[in-house]
């Protein structure tokens, strides 16, 4: 199980999964499922399944881990807090936002009451909730967490290079302050390069984020430089959802720069990738459709643009029942009207 975690840090997920499965079989063969290490294995396996969009398996494994850990350690323990954090991560990947926030907050509340906690354990919870707030547009909620996480980089006890890379990446996406964003994105590049090398799978996305900061600052020279670095760093070997997200962002920035032909090249690559394999991340599917609609419109291919846009809206409307079940019908109609207005601006 420990070796599997190392393989995950090395981005060798297939080998990690094989080791998890072998460890799982050993526990079963030895009838040793009461061993405290067994639920830890289940929880780790669950997060790997969540990363691979295998949500049913992920939930089954993590919930099983929670039941076992509760019987061993009780509710007020680091282990239960870690399990809740992993459950929140899974719900977040599923786009079940209310459940994700509830789990993240519950995990932090437990950790707050415990003494002698590891600094990186607490910061992991802070980072996850911060990332959740940033991705859901809750800037006010994100502000205090971003400040706490940013201050942690001066803590000599925070020595985990990979977590520094991940946390800096998320802080860089919190664009309340462009210079601060730029600083943390460059820090993330540095830490990822230290963990892997300069040509790591995260470089393209980070250069693209730096380009977006340049775009907001109207720094044309920096924007073009970081776009070139992002395009150069893109290898196509990432998870398909990550690759499509990256290509869409590249296409959108190039469109904004008036480079429609180049934007069309990248959106075409994204569409081809989506045809080769299913996009399991709904937000990426939506991003691909709306970006395609905008790039095709800019290229003068109006009929195809409308088709992309209509498909996007159909999917968005069909998700309302699930995502906004707490709304009244009147509130849903108001949301749709506001949404249509914003999208067509």
């Amino acid at each position: 199980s420990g070796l599997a975690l190392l393989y995950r840090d090395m981005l060798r997920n297939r080998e990690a999964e094989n080791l998890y499965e072998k460890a799982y079989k050993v526990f079963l063969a030895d009838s040793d499922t009461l061993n405290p290490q067994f639920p830890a294995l289940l929880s780790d396996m669950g997060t790997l399944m969540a990363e691979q969009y295998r949500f049913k398996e992920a939930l089954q494994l993590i919930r099983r881990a929670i039941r076992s850990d509760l019987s061993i350690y009780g509710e007020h323990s680091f282990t239960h807090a870690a399990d809740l954090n992993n459950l929140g991560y899974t719900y977040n990947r599923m786009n079940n936002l209310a459940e994700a926030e509830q789990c993240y907050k519950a995990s932090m509340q437990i950790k707050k009451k415990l003494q002698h906690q590891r600094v990186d354990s607490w910061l992991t919870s802070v980072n996850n909730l911060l990332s959740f707030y940033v991705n859901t547009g809750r800037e006010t909620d994100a502000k205090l967490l971003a400040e706490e996480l940013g201050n942690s980089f001066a803590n000599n006890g925070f020595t985990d290079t990979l977590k520094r890379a991940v946390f800096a990446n998320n802080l860089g996406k919190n664009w309340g302050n462009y210079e601060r964003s730029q600083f943390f994105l460059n820090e993330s590049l540095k830490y990822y390069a230290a963990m892997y090398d300069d040509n790591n799978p995260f470089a393209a996305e980070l250069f693209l984020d730096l380009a977006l900061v340049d775009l907001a600052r109207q720094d044309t020279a920096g924007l073009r430089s970081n776009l070139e670095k992002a395009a150069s760093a893109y290898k196509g070997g990432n998870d398909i959802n990550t690759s499509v997200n990256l290509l869409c962002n590249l296409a959108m920035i190039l469109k904004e720069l008036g480079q429609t032909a180049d934007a069309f090249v990248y959106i075409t690559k994204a569409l081809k990738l989506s045809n080769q394999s299913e996009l399991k991340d709904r937000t990426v599917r939506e991003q691909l459709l709306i970006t395609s609609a905008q790039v095709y419109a800019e290229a003068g291919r109006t009929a195809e643009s409308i088709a992309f846009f209509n498909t996007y809206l159909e999917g968005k409307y069909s998700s309302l029942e699930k995502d906004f079940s707490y709304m009244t019908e009147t509130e849903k109609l108001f949301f749709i009207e506001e949404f249509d207005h914003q999208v067509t601006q």
Side-chain angles (χ1 to χ4, degrees), residues 175-195:
W175 293 353
N177 180 308
Y178 295 137
E179 289 185 4
R180 180 182 168 90
S181 292
Q182 216 167 31
F183 169 78
F184 279 114
L185 290 171
N186 280 312
E187 285 291 286
S188 186
L189 276 170
K190 179 182 73 177
Y191 289 124
Y192 276 128
M195 277 293 297

Side-chain angles (χ1 to χ4, degrees), residues 25-181:
K25 289 176 182 177
V26 168
F27 276 115
L28 293 184
D30 293 346
S31 300
D32 196 20
T33 56
L34 294 179
N35 187 318
Q37 293 183 1
F38 183 63
L41 169 67
L42 296 177
S43 194
D44 287 341
M45 288 176 69
T47 58
L48 181 61
M49 297 300 103
E51 288 175 11
Q52 299 172 356
Y53 301 93
R54 293 158 61 179
F55 297 127
K56 184 177 180 180
E57 295 168 82
L59 289 175
Q60 288 174 341
L61 288 164
I62 294 172
R63 286 169 177 163
R64 188 175 171 190
I66 288 174
R67 289 194 296 271
S68 296
D69 282 333
L70 281 173
S71 67
I72 299 170
Y73 303 104
E75 289 185 18
H76 305 291
S77 64
F78 290 119
T79 306
H80 184 52
D83 288 338
L84 287 173
N85 186 70
N86 289 342
L87 185 60
Y89 171 77
T90 302
Y91 280 132
N92 197 19
R93 298 276 291 180
M94 295 170 67
N95 209 36
N96 289 5
L97 303 184
E99 293 90 339
E101 182 178 16
Q102 183 179 10
C103 289
Y104 283 150
K105 284 186 170 180
S107 176
M108 290 185 71
Q109 286 170 359
I110 293 171
K111 289 182 178 181
K112 272 184 180 179
K113 296 175 182 177
L114 296 172
Q115 296 179 344
H116 312 300
Q117 63 177 311
R118 296 196 332 264
V119 62
D120 61 321
S121 173
W122 168 253
L123 292 174
T124 296
S125 289
V126 173
N127 174 73
N128 287 344
L129 190 57
L130 168 64
S131 179
F132 173 82
Y133 285 148
V134 170
N135 291 334
T136 52
R138 293 167 60 177
E139 296 178 6
T140 302
D141 291 322
K143 188 173 181 180
L144 288 176
L145 293 174
E147 184 177 346
E148 180 177 358
L149 194 62
N151 291 339
S152 71
F153 280 74
N155 187 331
N156 293 330
F158 179 29
T159 59
D160 190 314
T161 302
L162 181 56
K163 285 189 177 181
R164 278 181 171 262
V166 173
F167 297 173
N169 192 346
N170 284 334
L171 285 164
K173 288 179 169 62
N174 188 22
W175 293 353
N177 180 308
Y178 295 137
E179 289 185 4
R180 180 182 168 90
S181 292

Side-chain angles (χ1 to χ4, degrees), residues 277-291:
S277 182
E278 179 188 4
L279 288 174
K280 296 183 179 180
D281 189 321
R282 195 185 78 194
T283 57
V284 176
R285 292 198 303 268
E286 293 173 353
Q287 180 190 26
L288 176 60
L289 288 168
I290 197 63
T291 306

Side-chain angles (χ1 to χ4, degrees), residues 3-42:
L3 185 57
L5 285 173
L6 178 61
Y7 275 136
R8 288 177 70 177
D9 285 349
M10 296 168 63
L11 309 179
R12 295 163 62 176
N13 284 347
R14 184 171 297 178
E15 291 158 286
E17 184 175 355
N18 289 337
L19 285 172
Y20 279 142
E21 289 176 355
K22 288 179 182 178
Y24 181 81
K25 289 176 182 177
V26 168
F27 276 115
L28 293 184
D30 293 346
S31 300
D32 196 20
T33 56
L34 294 179
N35 187 318
Q37 293 183 1
F38 183 63
L41 169 67
L42 296 177

